[in-house]
Amino acid sequence: MMLHFFEEPCNVWKKPVSFSQKKTKPKKPPLMLRRYFLLFAVIFCFSASAIAQGTSTVSGILTDSLTKKPIAFGTVNFQRAETALKTVLTDSAGRFTHTYSDNGSYQLSLASIGYTTKKIKIDLNGRDHQLGTILLQPAVGNLGEVAVTGNRPVIRHEADRIAYDVQADAESKTLTVLDMMRKVPLLSVDADDNIKLKGSGNFKILINNRPSGMVTRDPKEVLRTMPAASIQKIEVITTPPSRFDAEGLSGIINIITTKKVDNGYNGSVNVRHQTPGGPGANVYLTWKQGRFGADLSGGTGIWKVSGIRVLETRITTGANATTLVGAGNNSVDNKWLWGTASLSYELDTLNLLTLEINPYGGYNRQITKQQFNLSGQTNSAYNTENNRLFEWRGSDYTANYQRGFRNNKDHLLTFSYKHFSSREPNNSAIAYLNRQNFNLRDVQQENKSSFREQTAQADYVVPIRKVTLEAGLKAILREGSTDFQSYTLNPGTQIYELQVGQSNGYSNEQNVYGAYTSAALAFKKFTLKGGARIEYTYVKGLFATGDEQVRQNYFNVIPTLSLNRKLRDGESISLGFTQRIERPAIYFLNPFVDRSRPNIEQYGNPDLVPVLSNNFDLGYSYSKKGSLNLGFSYNFANNTQQTVLRYDPASNITRITFLNIGRDRKLGANLNINYPVTAKWNVSANGNLNYIWLEGMIEGLLTRNSGMTGYVSANSSYKFEKTWKTTFSFNYGAPDVLLQGASNDYYFMAVSGSKDLIKDKLIVSAMAANPFRKFRAYTNFVEGSNFSNAYSRENYFRRFNVNLVWKFGKLQGSIRKNERRITNDDVKSQSAG
């Protein structure tokens, strides 16, 4: 039986073209490519023609008011109505010169790290302005941080991380957090919306320096509808300090949403609609009165789509060679709700109490209808209807006490306690229809998982002249359990009967005890951070029968070292080394056998052990009119956790599980360029390139794979008059390299714009992504010793969204936050893959 399901099959399935065909006349470029080129050409020409004529030259010298020495690489911002239009830097002698093409009144904002900002009003009318010597007053500032761009730099480099200031990016009013991550150095998002850090899925995500249940399971489900306007910055921590847990082989992504606020209240309401997808809303409210402060926020979102085409093919070899082809449609109904409440009370100027509460919940319902054909020595055919419901709900509560000292505001002692609990019931039902020579029974499965975690932590920070010393203790007690049952339909009674041999329960305990110490040494030219963390881990796993299956204990010493050195002319270099641990989460340990897909069984492995990775980083940054950031990295790990597929010819079933069999090596390079072409037009580019070597033993055979992977993105933004802004962006990602195969490549294009209806109060924005193509296939190809398997899912590619933001209130003063918080980032999440 032949299938004619797809009108336009994915390129992966097309027959190769023969090169022996007759020569033909060159064809015109594809219509889609011509549209892309035309759109980009229009934007380019319009932006270039918008540069006005008539110039004024402004010059001056920034000087320290006390020492009378010139201030090198200070920031000079040309502003109008508090909006930065152009940024220039002073040279090594403190001089700056800029020729401006637009006449009118401007405000110059002059600043440098360690100095108080000074503002000067000027009128440009075609004449030159020589401002002479401009004195800046010294002020106490932060050490060890290098600004890469001007007054509101988009990117900042520190010795151990890169920070992307989302609010300094004009597209923050239009994009989601997930789309914004496409622009962050070292991060990429593939065709299936999976997040990668330096090309790897092994990382941890924190919200405000702490883990959050709403992004633990599958962060893309939440982040692709969360507005970027709700967050302040995204930090990519490549060399995490010793105070962070040692989990996340590639590093940590820290999403910062908190901000300083003042007496009184303020807030914002964000409503949006995305097509396809659905509506969503977020609310933020901050209130402060005297010593008491509160930050309240919440959000909800819907991602509801249908008509997603899926195609899977499995070809087996050997004496009983078979070909299995399945094609059909998938629909998704995904809804979630989350909230956050942070309460703060200042007992006095030195003592602070805070309480944080974070509930969340949601569900993902998928219905997949497919038609299967199995050909070989025996042919069979059948249709399937697969209904699957995955729910999640949980909450975490955190209490902090912070004690300050009068001798130094950075001298702190903090005690913290956190309780986190979650439940994740998973139900599936698969029915077989239109059977031809096929006799498997309908199946229903239930998998009820729960998780609880308690954490106690103490941190101490003491600055001694140019050195900051830190030390801390931490204990994490985790309990996970799962109860799973499998039922099959009795065709005679039409009753689902429990299959005892396929039902069981499993519980897992994991206790981690750690201590750390670190030191940060800050001088005028360089910052050095070093430390070590020791961790003892105890693991025990039991099946419901009472038979103990797993008992592990291990001890690790995790060093970390990072150095940032400032060079001349706005240059700096950074070096870093750290080790990281990847502990398997309950999802990967759970022995429940998922039979929700015909001819496929997937299950966890209770015998998984942690993985230790060694990471080396070298970075260079240059900042003058524009900025350039270049980095190189190398990491290696043994005994890594790999997803393994094996085919059993006796049962005609492909089995998927997780094994500690891998040996990984990766050499990478990343590049970020940001350049202001004019005062209104800015362009940027971001890229990452990795060469990966993988090997591991599968069924006694050494399997090897290697190859190049990476991504590149480009952005062009333009500010029009009267608060209009627009941006064009393009992203390309190379195929992922897997131990047994690879994925396909992908690209992403978007045009966005925003308008302040009421300045800084009411903002409307919109985005159009990939307007010329409705679907884009995400394909995985896997090959074993006796089979090859390809799975393709055509996700919605064309997207449109509209956002409306209303800001209200006014504040004075600031809410104090604990400087140290609990950050449990030591467990591999399900989304890490």
Side-chain angles (χ1 to χ4, degrees), residues 415-638:
F415 297 96
S416 303
Y417 172 79
K418 176 180 178 179
H419 181 274
F420 170 71
S421 62
S422 67
R423 294 183 179 277
E424 297 182 350
N426 181 0
N427 300 313
S428 65
I430 181 169
Y432 297 100
L433 309 169
N434 302 325
R435 303 164 183 253
Q436 298 179 25
N437 196 23
F438 182 80
N439 56 9
L440 283 183
R441 297 183 179 184
D442 295 355
V443 178
Q444 289 184 355
Q445 291 188 297
E446 297 177 358
N447 179 23
K448 300 177 182 178
S449 298
S450 62
F451 181 77
R452 188 175 67 143
E453 178 181 86
Q454 298 183 80
T455 306
Q457 179 174 316
D459 299 279
Y460 181 66
V461 183
V462 54
I464 305 175
R465 295 184 180 179
K466 294 182 179 296
V467 180
T468 300
L469 300 177
E470 297 186 31
L473 299 171
K474 187 173 187 177
I476 309 174
L477 308 179
R478 297 188 174 107
E479 297 177 0
S481 65
T482 177
D483 183 16
F484 49 92
Q485 289 87 35
S486 182
Y487 303 85
T488 59
L489 180 66
N490 186 319
T493 64
Q494 290 297 300
I495 297 176
Y496 282 91
E497 299 174 343
L498 177 66
Q499 302 300 302
V500 178
Q502 300 175 4
S503 305
N504 208 329
Y506 177 76
S507 63
N508 178 271
E509 294 182 13
Q510 182 187 87
N511 298 332
V512 182
Y513 306 95
Y516 76 91
T517 182
S518 66
L521 182 63
F523 290 102
K524 184 178 181 180
K525 291 292 185 180
F526 72 88
T527 301
L528 176 65
K529 297 181 180 181
R533 184 181 189 89
I534 57 174
E535 292 183 346
Y536 172 77
T537 305
Y538 171 78
V539 179
K540 182 175 70 174
L542 289 171
F543 280 105
T545 57
D547 298 330
E548 186 168 321
Q549 299 295 319
V550 178
R551 183 184 291 271
Q552 302 173 358
N553 62 85
Y554 43 91
F555 181 83
N556 298 101
V557 179
I558 309 298
T560 180
L561 180 66
S562 59
L563 170 68
N564 184 278
R565 177 71 162 87
K566 297 180 184 178
L567 307 175
R568 60 182 182 178
D569 296 331
E571 297 174 288
S572 70
I573 58 173
S574 60
L575 296 169
F577 166 74
T578 186
Q579 288 185 331
R580 306 294 294 162
I581 293 177
E582 177 187 69
R583 295 188 181 94
I586 186 66
Y587 171 83
F588 299 100
L589 300 169
N590 186 358
F592 164 67
V593 180
D594 184 352
R595 297 180 173 87
S596 60
R597 293 169 60 189
N599 302 291
I600 293 177
E601 295 181 353
Q602 180 169 333
Y603 50 92
N605 179 7
D607 295 319
L608 289 175
V609 297
V611 178
L612 185 67
S613 173
N614 298 273
N615 301 334
F616 301 85
D617 289 281
L618 170 64
Y620 167 82
S621 67
Y622 173 79
S623 173
K624 208 165 187 180
K625 180 180 179 180
S627 67
L628 181 147
N629 303 280
L630 179 65
F632 300 93
S633 63
Y634 177 73
N635 61 68
F636 64 91
N638 297 320

Side-chain angles (χ1 to χ4, degrees), residues 350 403-413 460-461:
L350 300 179
R403 165 69 179 176
F405 297 86
R406 297 186 184 280
N407 61 333
N408 192 311
K409 66 180 181 65
D410 295 323
H411 188 185
L412 300 170
L413 176 64
Y460 181 66
V461 183

